[in-house]
Amino acid sequence: MKIALMDAGIGLLTTAAAVHRLRPDAALVLSSDPDGMPWGPRTPQELTARAFVVAETAAAHRPDALIVACNTASVHALPALRTRFEPRLPVIGTVPAIKPAAAGGGPIAVWATPATTGSPYQRGLIDEFARGVSVTEVPCPGLSSAVESGDEAATIRAVADAAARTPDDVRAVVLGCTHYELVADRIRAAVRRRPGLPPPALHGTAGAVAAQALRRIGALPAPQAPAEGPLTVLLSGRPATLPPAALTYEEGRLLQGLTLPARGARP
């Protein structure tokens, strides 16, 4: 089994690690675009063009499924990617976990990039799944870039800024960017808590997206399988290893320990 994941940067690490935990025997192909990031400020047309290149690079390795492990790319490019690759290659998008967060009642907050916050896509999810629930959209300028570079000081500042704009009575915080899940512990500690209320739950997407990818290809979780799935890393199409910033996170260190593809193995 081979699962490919794509993103502008290292936000795909959380979903890749989730796939590995469900199926340690699965080969992983991580395709990102350091030459073209960040994707958020690009026009939808530019972003879709970059996403196509990254997806085509991953698809050349003939995976069984392709995960778009990026909320921004899912917002703008997912329909086009599905038109291009399906049904031959199932394409799984990443949608902010507004539905499960709202199911627990409100109020909730949705942390997302400025490009995603207030977008028709995100507002549509709120209207569909959080009707009647108080929702605060919290843009997080600089947070994904700080996480991407492994800049701890910048991450702390960006998290504190977003936390200060998050109501202290929220019951749940939706992590609307895959990068944010890499610093979930920092976010959990920073979100203010009103005395007498339990700490807010954090809702990411990595586990659900990984499970959906397995369902799409008819595979069952097998967490006890031998950890023999190789790792292929593609940086703007170039074979590479995980970038140094990835190794500042637990998920990156987990994936670093995977074997490289054997020489002569089919791409």
Side-chain angles (χ1 to χ4, degrees):
M1 178 191 317
K2 184 182 290 186
I3 306 293
L5 301 95
M6 59 171 284
D7 187 11
I10 64 173
L12 50 66
L13 292 176
T14 50
T15 307
V19 172
H20 176 68
R21 292 184 179 108
L22 290 176
R23 289 300 299 251
D25 56 337
L28 299 177
V29 178
L30 309 187
S31 183
S32 61
D33 187 29
D35 292 356
M37 68 176 307
W39 282 357
R42 293 182 177 274
T43 67
Q45 294 78 16
E46 291 173 335
L47 190 152
T48 299
R50 299 298 305 191
F52 259 74
V53 173
V54 174
E56 292 281 6
T57 301
H61 288 252
R62 291 182 281 175
D64 299 295
L66 172 64
I67 296 174
V68 184
C70 173
N71 295 90
T72 301
S74 295
V75 167
H76 296 293
L78 185 60
L81 290 170
R82 283 181 167 158
T83 298
R84 167 66 181 86
F85 293 106
E86 291 189 340
R88 175 181 59 85
L89 175 62
V91 179
I92 298 90
T94 300
V95 177
I98 292 171
K99 182 177 181 179
I108 67 174
V110 181
W111 286 29
T113 64
T116 301
T117 300
S119 66
Y121 173 81
Q122 182 162 290
R123 290 284 170 84
L125 292 174
I126 292 170
D127 290 343
E128 182 176 1
F129 298 119
R131 188 166 298 177
V133 174
S134 175
V135 179
T136 300
E137 295 181 87
V138 181
C140 303
L143 180 52
S144 61
S145 297
V147 173
E148 177 69 28
S149 63
D151 188 332
E152 183 176 5
T155 297
I156 291 172
R157 290 193 298 270
V159 167
D161 173 68
R165 291 181 286 106
T166 301
D168 59 5
D169 61 345
V170 297
R171 298 180 61 180
V173 175
V174 176
L175 303 181
C177 172
T178 53
H179 280 76
Y180 301 171
E181 294 187 58
L182 291 170
V183 292
D185 288 344
R186 288 197 179 278
I187 294 172
R188 184 177 291 106
V191 175
R192 294 173 297 176
R193 300 169 181 140
R194 180 176 292 181
L197 293 179
L202 298 189
H203 289 267
T205 58
V209 171
Q212 174 66 2
L214 294 185
R215 284 194 291 270
R216 287 289 305 275
I217 63 175
L220 295 174
Q224 302 306 317
E228 59 188 14
L231 175 69
T232 299
V233 177
L234 304 167
L235 301 182
S236 296
R238 301 180 297 272
T241 58
L242 289 173
L247 305 183
T248 64
Y249 304 105
E250 177 186 352
E251 293 85 350
R253 294 189 294 272
L254 170 68
L255 297 171
Q256 183 192 32
L258 303 184
T259 59
L260 296 174
R263 289 191 176 185
R266 69 177 177 90

